[in-house]
Amino acid sequence: MSLFKARNWWSTVLGEKEEFDQGCLCLGDVDNTGNGQDKIIVGSFMGYLRIFNPHPVKTGDGAQAEDLLLEVHLRDPILQVEVGKFVSGTEMLHLAVLHSRKLCVYSVSGTLGNVEHGNQYQIKLMYEHNLQRTACNMTYGSFGGVKGRDLICIQSMDGMLMVFEQESYAFGRFLPGSLLPGPLAYSSRTDSFITVSSCRQVESYKYQVLAFATDADKRQETEQQKLGSGKRLIVDWTLNIGEQALDICIVSFNQSASSVFVLGERNFFCLKDNGQIRFMKKLDCSPSCFLPYCSVSEGTINTLIGNHNNMLHIYQDVTLKWATQLPHIPVAVRVGCVHDLKGVIVTLSDDGHLQCSYLGTDPSLFQAPKVESRELHYDELDIELKELQKIIKDVNKSQGIWPMTEREDDLKVSAMVSPNFDSVSQATDVAVGTDLVPSVTVKVTLQNRLALQKAKLSVYVQPPLVLTCDQFTFEFMAPEMNRTVSFSVYLKGSYTPPELEGNAVVSYSRPSGIPRVIQCKFRLPLKLICLPGQPSKTASHKLTIDTNKSPVSLLSLFPGFAHQSEDDQVNVMGFRFLGGSRVTLLASKTSQRYRIQSEQFEDLWLITNELIIRLQEYFEKQGIKDFACSFSGSVPLQEYFELIDHHFELRINGEKLEELLSERAVQFRAIQRRLLTRFKDKTPAPLQHLDTLLDGTYKQVIALADAVEENQDNLFQSFTKLRSATHLVILLIGLWQKLSPDQVAILEAAFLPLQQDTQELGWEETVDAAISHLLKTCLSKSSKEQALSLSSQLNIPKDTSRLKKHIALLCDRLAKGGRLCLSTDAAAPQTMVMPGGCTTIPESDLEERSIEQDSTELFTNHKHLIAETPMPDISPLQGVSE
């Protein structure tokens, strides 16, 4: 046993699935034996009353049958039990049991047994009081200085104090301003009740003031009260402690002074009789119960404090003297004399663990063996250390820290997308107009080599694509076992997703306990979100993709999208997204070009990307490996900047709406407080149109909340469109400058850092920081730019001018021959000039501002530049001109 664990003297578990609280434990000589031995009385919320008299044969024994003196079911929940002189005409101790609507006083008596079964105990009901109000807690004492008997005061849930003079009801008083009941205690020295109100302040009320105040039964305003009959209930003193209290205890070890102990949620306080603070102690852990008791040192008080870390701390005033570990979290603690053992600590947990323990230590019987002394040979140790270092170095070089083969052999994940739609669409609650929304089934197969515990599969697709189920859990997978799960994917929104790629991620732990994550990507068919459509004759946005091979028939590239009326038009194809927008694809008959055109700039992305992927797959099947695409036009930055501005405008609107909603909410709560004050006031006063103002403010709050939700939906759609446009711009830059896959990955990391846009961390400031880092490292022109430091804090910008300037500057430096890399060594000044009429790179911000207009002219108005670059022999529809 550890030095700091409580020594278990006797323990037991009460009942099954019963609940207890701080008022459910009491110690006292309830059967009036007169030998000074305390009995343990426990009541539960299930209504069971138990009385124990522990006498273990040896320390640590559990409860024996004869330890339980009495167990009775009282049917009603027991809130609190107390032992005192509650019956008139006698000074014998009796047991008071508080129920939610009843107070019962019992006498406990024992009969000597004549057989081996021992003594018999029974309880007898002396009297009971039926309560008109739901009780919360109670306290007792010699109220008003009476001798030889104890009176009981019960606090109700609505803040009323009910005083009972044993068998009779005395009076009831409402505490002023009471909202929620707090702990209650009685100070015999000052003859006052002390509680903690919902205002988080300790309040003291004199018993005499309570007795002569206005009766609570006449709380309503009457004519006599208006004329001044009765006295107003006035608080004796108050002290604001700034937190809610868990318990109050009055300690008085001599007649000259007493102390009021208050246990808060983070501190415990010791107060004088007049409410002044003697001392306070900030607690490190959240407390659960406490008990002050006498100290051997003059002028000091010891306090037991239990906390939610299963610890019991013993303080002498504010000094921690001892800390002991308990097997449970105590909700009630008492100290008494049990079985001739003084100072036994009795603790009770909320689930019924009752333990009698004491503080002490166990001697350690372990002795460390003697270490054999031997002479150390340092030369041999150096040789052995060098050999071990060489082995470690060779292993790291050959295999790496984590062997890839071992990780791949543990679990294999594969995904297969069904080539056909589901016979019955799984799409529910869609918002894409009148089109019938299809769904497609995806099957994910897990093949494991080893036994795995709790493997979790998570599937993610780009919104507005949704899954019928995105989480799968496998509690156990036997070795060499295959598990397959199926789910459907469909389009839920009226706009297009930025990608058709899905991701299946499996997280699991190897038998050694090392966590692993493996993922598998799958590609959804274009027909899931797109239908064959009529090619459009006019379009606002056009792109031309050049190839190095002869053109391919669009019917062979997109066999499922041929329009019935245009079978002869093999070089023109129309697409219609489920949201309603249209895209037209044209292929040249003689030149090696393809044109994509649409009314929306962001809609060009999916068709352009699908075209390039299908062209690459087509030529790979033909055995042609040198196929390449290029882009010779101007990067359409102006259209891209319009989407950025729209997204940023929605973010600003969201901030303004949330700010306005917060102001209206504050105003709404202020009006509520004023109305509540008016309604609580005993003297009615006119509302002064506060009810009308409350109704108007409520309607404004609802309208603003609806506006915030609508703006959030629009912002989410705008962010999805911005991601699609960003993918398109990255693709065009990569084709324009023939960037390697690593360089394209760097661009994607810079332009697409977020999967979700929020007000706290938005796309604009994140991308601006990433592009600024590239401009100052691998795309820097001089060492002066590399020395500039970036801000470490990302805040929403005032506008998008800086971001747009940096994007234009990035394209300009790539056109000058700059190349993207993550190594700082490659960040050398770029001197190679590429053709295209690009301007020089500015050396400073002043020069940068001077070329801003030229850069804008360079990367804007791409529609005219495409028109200036002829695309011969493209056969459009009838009436569609070049």
mmCIF file of all heavy atoms in Angstrom, residues 24 54 67 91 132 165 171 182 207 292 366 383 404 420 470 581 590 594 748 755 812 832 852:
data_model
loop_
_atom_site.group_PDB
_atom_site.id
_atom_site.type_symbol
_atom_site.label_atom_id
_atom_site.label_comp_id
_atom_site.label_asym_id
_atom_site.label_seq_id
_atom_site.Cartn_x
_atom_site.Cartn_y
_atom_site.Cartn_z
ATOM 1 N N CYS A 24 -26.955 12.643 2.445
ATOM 2 C CA CYS A 24 -27.420 11.277 2.681
ATOM 3 C C CYS A 24 -26.596 10.544 3.736
ATOM 4 O O CYS A 24 -26.848 9.358 3.985
ATOM 5 C CB CYS A 24 -27.389 10.487 1.373
ATOM 6 S SG CYS A 24 -28.513 11.136 0.115
ATOM 7 N N PRO A 54 -20.140 -0.754 12.290
ATOM 8 C CA PRO A 54 -19.051 -1.621 11.840
ATOM 9 C C PRO A 54 -18.209 -2.118 13.021
ATOM 10 O O PRO A 54 -17.903 -1.360 13.949
ATOM 11 C CB PRO A 54 -18.231 -0.725 10.921
ATOM 12 C CG PRO A 54 -19.091 0.462 10.635
ATOM 13 C CD PRO A 54 -19.980 0.628 11.809
ATOM 14 N N ASP A 67 -23.145 -6.249 10.809
ATOM 15 C CA ASP A 67 -22.805 -4.819 10.788
ATOM 16 C C ASP A 67 -24.017 -3.965 10.430
ATOM 17 O O ASP A 67 -24.091 -2.799 10.813
ATOM 18 C CB ASP A 67 -21.677 -4.556 9.789
ATOM 19 C CG ASP A 67 -20.367 -5.193 10.219
ATOM 20 O OD1 ASP A 67 -20.247 -5.523 11.411
ATOM 21 O OD2 ASP A 67 -19.474 -5.348 9.368
ATOM 22 N N GLU A 91 -34.897 14.428 26.020
ATOM 23 C CA GLU A 91 -33.637 14.842 25.413
ATOM 24 C C GLU A 91 -32.945 13.668 24.720
ATOM 25 O O GLU A 91 -31.751 13.708 24.452
ATOM 26 C CB GLU A 91 -32.711 15.448 26.474
ATOM 27 C CG GLU A 91 -33.225 16.758 27.044
ATOM 28 C CD GLU A 91 -32.188 17.475 27.891
ATOM 29 O OE1 GLU A 91 -31.034 16.991 27.928
ATOM 30 O OE2 GLU A 91 -32.531 18.503 28.488
ATOM 31 N N GLN A 132 -45.997 21.663 2.006
ATOM 32 C CA GLN A 132 -46.751 22.245 0.906
ATOM 33 C C GLN A 132 -45.841 22.589 -0.275
ATOM 34 O O GLN A 132 -46.314 22.797 -1.383
ATOM 35 C CB GLN A 132 -47.483 23.513 1.374
ATOM 36 C CG GLN A 132 -48.477 23.266 2.488
ATOM 37 C CD GLN A 132 -49.583 22.315 2.066
ATOM 38 O OE1 GLN A 132 -50.067 22.382 0.947
ATOM 39 N NE2 GLN A 132 -49.965 21.410 2.969
ATOM 40 N N GLU A 165 -41.148 23.689 15.169
ATOM 41 C CA GLU A 165 -40.819 23.524 16.583
ATOM 42 C C GLU A 165 -41.273 22.128 16.993
ATOM 43 O O GLU A 165 -42.347 21.930 17.572
ATOM 44 C CB GLU A 165 -41.493 24.609 17.419
ATOM 45 C CG GLU A 165 -40.947 25.996 17.144
ATOM 46 C CD GLU A 165 -41.573 27.048 18.044
ATOM 47 O OE1 GLU A 165 -42.499 26.694 18.818
ATOM 48 O OE2 GLU A 165 -41.160 28.212 17.961
ATOM 49 N N PHE A 171 -43.494 28.842 11.474
ATOM 50 C CA PHE A 171 -43.732 29.893 10.483
ATOM 51 C C PHE A 171 -42.902 29.571 9.240
ATOM 52 O O PHE A 171 -42.030 28.690 9.247
ATOM 53 C CB PHE A 171 -43.370 31.290 11.031
ATOM 54 C CG PHE A 171 -41.937 31.404 11.478
ATOM 55 C CD1 PHE A 171 -40.917 31.719 10.587
ATOM 56 C CD2 PHE A 171 -41.601 31.191 12.816
ATOM 57 C CE1 PHE A 171 -39.602 31.827 10.998
ATOM 58 C CE2 PHE A 171 -40.286 31.301 13.240
ATOM 59 C CZ PHE A 171 -39.276 31.616 12.331
ATOM 60 N N GLY A 182 -29.636 27.416 -2.050
ATOM 61 C CA GLY A 182 -28.244 27.088 -1.829
ATOM 62 C C GLY A 182 -28.073 26.317 -0.536
ATOM 63 O O GLY A 182 -29.055 25.992 0.149
ATOM 64 N N TYR A 207 -32.501 34.878 13.381
ATOM 65 C CA TYR A 207 -33.726 34.114 13.640
ATOM 66 C C TYR A 207 -34.846 35.027 14.148
ATOM 67 O O TYR A 207 -36.014 34.848 13.776
ATOM 68 C CB TYR A 207 -33.442 33.001 14.655
ATOM 69 C CG TYR A 207 -34.669 32.231 15.062
ATOM 70 C CD1 TYR A 207 -35.253 31.311 14.200
ATOM 71 C CD2 TYR A 207 -35.254 32.436 16.316
ATOM 72 C CE1 TYR A 207 -36.384 30.610 14.561
ATOM 73 C CE2 TYR A 207 -36.393 31.728 16.681
ATOM 74 C CZ TYR A 207 -36.955 30.826 15.811
ATOM 75 O OH TYR A 207 -38.075 30.134 16.169
ATOM 76 N N PRO A 292 -14.957 20.728 8.184
ATOM 77 C CA PRO A 292 -14.025 21.297 9.164
ATOM 78 C C PRO A 292 -14.151 20.566 10.517
ATOM 79 O O PRO A 292 -15.245 20.141 10.906
ATOM 80 C CB PRO A 292 -14.477 22.759 9.280
ATOM 81 C CG PRO A 292 -15.437 22.976 8.148
ATOM 82 C CD PRO A 292 -16.039 21.650 7.854
ATOM 83 N N PHE A 366 10.368 -3.817 1.003
ATOM 84 C CA PHE A 366 11.280 -4.131 -0.097
ATOM 85 C C PHE A 366 12.649 -3.513 0.168
ATOM 86 O O PHE A 366 12.766 -2.361 0.572
ATOM 87 C CB PHE A 366 10.716 -3.571 -1.410
ATOM 88 C CG PHE A 366 11.671 -3.674 -2.564
ATOM 89 C CD1 PHE A 366 11.871 -4.880 -3.217
ATOM 90 C CD2 PHE A 366 12.376 -2.558 -2.997
ATOM 91 C CE1 PHE A 366 12.746 -4.960 -4.274
ATOM 92 C CE2 PHE A 366 13.255 -2.643 -4.044
ATOM 93 C CZ PHE A 366 13.438 -3.846 -4.698
ATOM 94 N N ILE A 383 33.973 0.875 -28.064
ATOM 95 C CA ILE A 383 33.869 0.033 -29.266
ATOM 96 C C ILE A 383 32.438 -0.487 -29.428
ATOM 97 O O ILE A 383 31.873 -0.483 -30.523
ATOM 98 C CB ILE A 383 34.883 -1.138 -29.171
ATOM 99 C CG1 ILE A 383 36.321 -0.579 -29.182
ATOM 100 C CG2 ILE A 383 34.672 -2.117 -30.313
ATOM 101 C CD1 ILE A 383 37.373 -1.639 -28.948
ATOM 102 N N MET A 404 7.745 0.417 -44.895
ATOM 103 C CA MET A 404 6.543 0.579 -45.699
ATOM 104 C C MET A 404 5.901 -0.760 -46.036
ATOM 105 O O MET A 404 4.691 -0.898 -46.058
ATOM 106 C CB MET A 404 6.879 1.334 -46.989
ATOM 107 C CG MET A 404 7.358 2.762 -46.762
ATOM 108 S SD MET A 404 6.080 3.788 -46.001
ATOM 109 C CE MET A 404 4.914 3.828 -47.333
ATOM 110 N N ASN A 420 -22.989 1.445 -63.358
ATOM 111 C CA ASN A 420 -24.379 1.819 -63.622
ATOM 112 C C ASN A 420 -24.983 2.495 -62.396
ATOM 113 O O ASN A 420 -24.540 2.287 -61.266
ATOM 114 C CB ASN A 420 -25.206 0.576 -63.975
ATOM 115 C CG ASN A 420 -24.656 -0.151 -65.189
ATOM 116 O OD1 ASN A 420 -24.265 0.481 -66.175
ATOM 117 N ND2 ASN A 420 -24.604 -1.473 -65.116
ATOM 118 N N ASP A 470 -21.314 7.462 -44.083
ATOM 119 C CA ASP A 470 -19.909 7.855 -44.217
ATOM 120 C C ASP A 470 -19.005 7.291 -43.124
ATOM 121 O O ASP A 470 -17.802 7.566 -43.131
ATOM 122 C CB ASP A 470 -19.777 9.385 -44.240
ATOM 123 C CG ASP A 470 -20.340 10.021 -42.995
ATOM 124 O OD1 ASP A 470 -20.933 9.303 -42.182
ATOM 125 O OD2 ASP A 470 -20.190 11.249 -42.840
ATOM 126 N N SER A 581 -26.746 24.780 -65.196
ATOM 127 C CA SER A 581 -25.783 25.442 -66.073
ATOM 128 C C SER A 581 -25.336 24.503 -67.192
ATOM 129 O O SER A 581 -25.371 23.276 -67.051
ATOM 130 C CB SER A 581 -24.570 25.906 -65.255
ATOM 131 O OG SER A 581 -23.999 24.814 -64.572
ATOM 132 N N THR A 590 -9.082 19.963 -88.002
ATOM 133 C CA THR A 590 -7.747 19.949 -88.622
ATOM 134 C C THR A 590 -6.640 20.269 -87.617
ATOM 135 O O THR A 590 -5.589 19.629 -87.630
ATOM 136 C CB THR A 590 -7.703 20.966 -89.764
ATOM 137 O OG1 THR A 590 -8.059 22.260 -89.251
ATOM 138 C CG2 THR A 590 -8.677 20.560 -90.870
ATOM 139 N N TYR A 594 -8.907 21.985 -78.615
ATOM 140 C CA TYR A 594 -10.237 21.765 -78.057
ATOM 141 C C TYR A 594 -10.657 23.053 -77.350
ATOM 142 O O TYR A 594 -9.837 23.698 -76.679
ATOM 143 C CB TYR A 594 -10.254 20.608 -77.054
ATOM 144 C CG TYR A 594 -9.805 19.291 -77.640
ATOM 145 C CD1 TYR A 594 -8.452 18.957 -77.697
ATOM 146 C CD2 TYR A 594 -10.731 18.383 -78.128
ATOM 147 C CE1 TYR A 594 -8.041 17.749 -78.235
ATOM 148 C CE2 TYR A 594 -10.328 17.166 -78.668
ATOM 149 C CZ TYR A 594 -8.980 16.855 -78.724
ATOM 150 O OH TYR A 594 -8.570 15.665 -79.257
ATOM 151 N N GLU A 748 -1.165 23.886 -55.564
ATOM 152 C CA GLU A 748 -2.401 23.447 -54.914
ATOM 153 C C GLU A 748 -2.337 23.646 -53.408
ATOM 154 O O GLU A 748 -3.325 24.038 -52.771
ATOM 155 C CB GLU A 748 -2.651 21.967 -55.242
ATOM 156 C CG GLU A 748 -3.044 21.729 -56.682
ATOM 157 C CD GLU A 748 -3.250 20.259 -56.969
ATOM 158 O OE1 GLU A 748 -2.862 19.439 -56.109
ATOM 159 O OE2 GLU A 748 -3.778 19.935 -58.053
ATOM 160 N N GLN A 755 -10.162 23.037 -46.435
ATOM 161 C CA GLN A 755 -11.303 22.269 -46.899
ATOM 162 C C GLN A 755 -12.616 22.965 -46.549
ATOM 163 O O GLN A 755 -13.627 22.733 -47.177
ATOM 164 C CB GLN A 755 -11.284 20.872 -46.268
ATOM 165 C CG GLN A 755 -10.237 19.941 -46.841
ATOM 166 C CD GLN A 755 -10.519 19.538 -48.284
ATOM 167 O OE1 GLN A 755 -11.657 19.551 -48.724
ATOM 168 N NE2 GLN A 755 -9.475 19.194 -49.017
ATOM 169 N N ASP A 812 3.301 36.539 -63.060
ATOM 170 C CA ASP A 812 4.331 37.304 -63.763
ATOM 171 C C ASP A 812 5.708 36.689 -63.546
ATOM 172 O O ASP A 812 6.508 36.555 -64.479
ATOM 173 C CB ASP A 812 4.288 38.757 -63.284
ATOM 174 C CG ASP A 812 5.260 39.634 -64.060
ATOM 175 O OD1 ASP A 812 5.091 39.749 -65.286
ATOM 176 O OD2 ASP A 812 6.193 40.179 -63.422
ATOM 177 N N MET A 832 16.248 34.439 -66.288
ATOM 178 C CA MET A 832 15.788 33.992 -67.594
ATOM 179 C C MET A 832 14.479 34.677 -67.936
ATOM 180 O O MET A 832 13.592 34.768 -67.107
ATOM 181 C CB MET A 832 15.612 32.475 -67.585
ATOM 182 C CG MET A 832 15.195 31.923 -68.937
ATOM 183 S SD MET A 832 15.182 30.123 -68.949
ATOM 184 C CE MET A 832 13.957 29.810 -67.705
ATOM 185 N N GLU A 852 1.241 47.549 -61.309
ATOM 186 C CA GLU A 852 0.006 46.831 -61.014
ATOM 187 C C GLU A 852 -0.970 46.922 -62.182
ATOM 188 O O GLU A 852 -1.594 45.940 -62.575
ATOM 189 C CB GLU A 852 -0.618 47.391 -59.748
ATOM 190 C CG GLU A 852 -1.885 46.647 -59.342
ATOM 191 C CD GLU A 852 -2.492 47.209 -58.075
ATOM 192 O OE1 GLU A 852 -1.899 48.138 -57.504
ATOM 193 O OE2 GLU A 852 -3.552 46.720 -57.683
#
